[in-house]
């Protein structure tokens, strides 16, 4: 049974208790570095009623990091929390990366805000014109282009820029819809070709 805020019996209140938003939002995602993606997703679910989280493992994603070719292996989990998506990131390799930098500097686990843009190259040029460095860029076949702008000195976090593609928008829509209609079951999931597999 749910009320007007989408609360269900036995489930914590939603982190954002408002009507589902309409329109465009400049920043659609908040990203956090965690030690254990599954454990952190469960804590978010239990504490804030956010879910379901969808977990994905990525091996050796090629990137350019601080001007040099590199690759990063990581595990991610994403879930919708009202108007924003929550992303949890655990790096699985020991290479230098934007995901390690704040951790090594002793900062909190909050890592990035993310914006989705139609004019990816122009947006990056705009940041460069302000004297900001593109700390890392992922250009992977079949995935949207993604860059991390170094705004750490100014704001304490990176600014992630993702290029809009139809498939990525469809993915974001699926995650958002799952969060909007979630009944509290299977809070941590792995997407499969025919739905999902619950992660215990």
């Amino acid at each position: 049974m749910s009320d007007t805020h989408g609360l269900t019996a036995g489930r914590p209140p939603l982190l954002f208790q408002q009507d589902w938003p309409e329109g465009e939002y400049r920043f659609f995602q908040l990203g956090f570095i965690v030690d254990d993606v599954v454990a952190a997703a469960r804590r978010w679910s239990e504490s804030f009623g956010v879910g379901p989280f969808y977990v994905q493992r990525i091996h050796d994603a090629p990137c350019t990091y601080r001007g040099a070719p590199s690759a990063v292996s990581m595990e991610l989990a994403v879930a919708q929390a009202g108007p924003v998506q929550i992303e949890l990131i655990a790096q699985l390799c020991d290479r230098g990366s934007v995901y390690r930098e704040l951790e090594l500097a002793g900062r909190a686990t909050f890592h990035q805000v993310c914006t989705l843009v139609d004019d990816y190259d122009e947006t990056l040029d705009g940041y460069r014109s302000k004297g900001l460095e593109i700390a890392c860029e992922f250009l992977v076949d079949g995935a949207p282009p993604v860059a991390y702008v170094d705004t750490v000195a100014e704001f304490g976090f990176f600014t992630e820029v993702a290029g809009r593609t139809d498939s990525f928008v469809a993915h974001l829509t699926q995650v958002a819809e799952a969060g909007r209609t979630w009944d509290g079951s299977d809070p941590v999931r792995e997407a499969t070709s025919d739905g999902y597999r619950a992660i215990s």
Side-chain angles (χ1 to χ4, degrees), residues 1-199:
M1 180 177 178
S2 62
D3 63 15
T4 56
H5 294 307
L7 308 182
T8 56
R11 176 181 167 195
L14 292 173
L15 188 58
F16 294 94
Q17 296 183 17
Q18 73 235 26
D19 292 337
W20 202 248
E22 296 180 356
E24 294 185 1
Y25 289 79
R26 187 172 297 275
F27 295 116
F28 78 90
Q29 183 197 82
L30 306 177
F32 299 83
I33 303 300
V34 299
D35 293 326
D36 184 320
V37 161
V38 172
R42 290 196 180 285
R43 287 195 297 273
W44 271 85
S45 176
E46 292 166 0
S47 299
F48 301 126
V50 173
F53 279 89
Y54 288 90
V55 177
Q56 178 184 13
R57 186 167 286 214
I58 301 172
H59 294 285
D60 292 329
C63 64
T64 301
Y65 172 60
R66 298 293 181 186
S70 186
V72 183
S73 295
M74 67 193 95
E75 190 170 46
L76 312 174
V78 293
Q80 196 75 17
V84 297
Q85 183 186 88
I86 302 300
E87 181 179 44
L88 309 175
I89 307 162
Q91 184 167 323
L92 304 177
C93 63
D94 293 327
R95 301 181 187 99
S97 76
V98 289
Y99 307 117
R100 289 274 191 238
E101 286 190 18
L102 298 189
E103 177 185 3
L104 294 174
R107 295 179 183 267
T109 61
F110 180 65
H111 185 261
Q112 89 251 358
V113 295
C114 185
T115 182
L116 186 66
V117 300
D118 292 312
D119 50 354
Y120 176 82
D121 291 330
E122 291 84 352
T123 299
L124 296 191
D125 286 343
Y127 281 114
R128 290 188 185 99
S129 72
K130 295 176 173 63
L132 297 170
E133 180 184 358
I134 308 306
C136 183
E137 186 173 23
F138 291 90
L139 297 174
V140 180
D141 288 342
V146 171
Y148 288 85
V149 183
D150 190 345
T151 53
V152 174
E154 291 81 359
F155 302 109
F157 53 80
F158 288 94
T159 299
E160 182 181 4
V161 177
R164 185 188 301 269
T165 66
D166 291 344
S167 60
F168 188 48
V169 169
H171 166 71
L172 297 177
T173 301
Q174 289 175 342
V175 172
E177 182 63 14
R180 188 182 69 83
T181 61
W182 186 46
D183 63 2
S185 63
D186 300 332
V188 187
R189 306 172 175 186
E190 179 184 3
T192 63
S193 59
D194 57 351
Y196 71 86
R197 177 183 67 84
I199 298 177

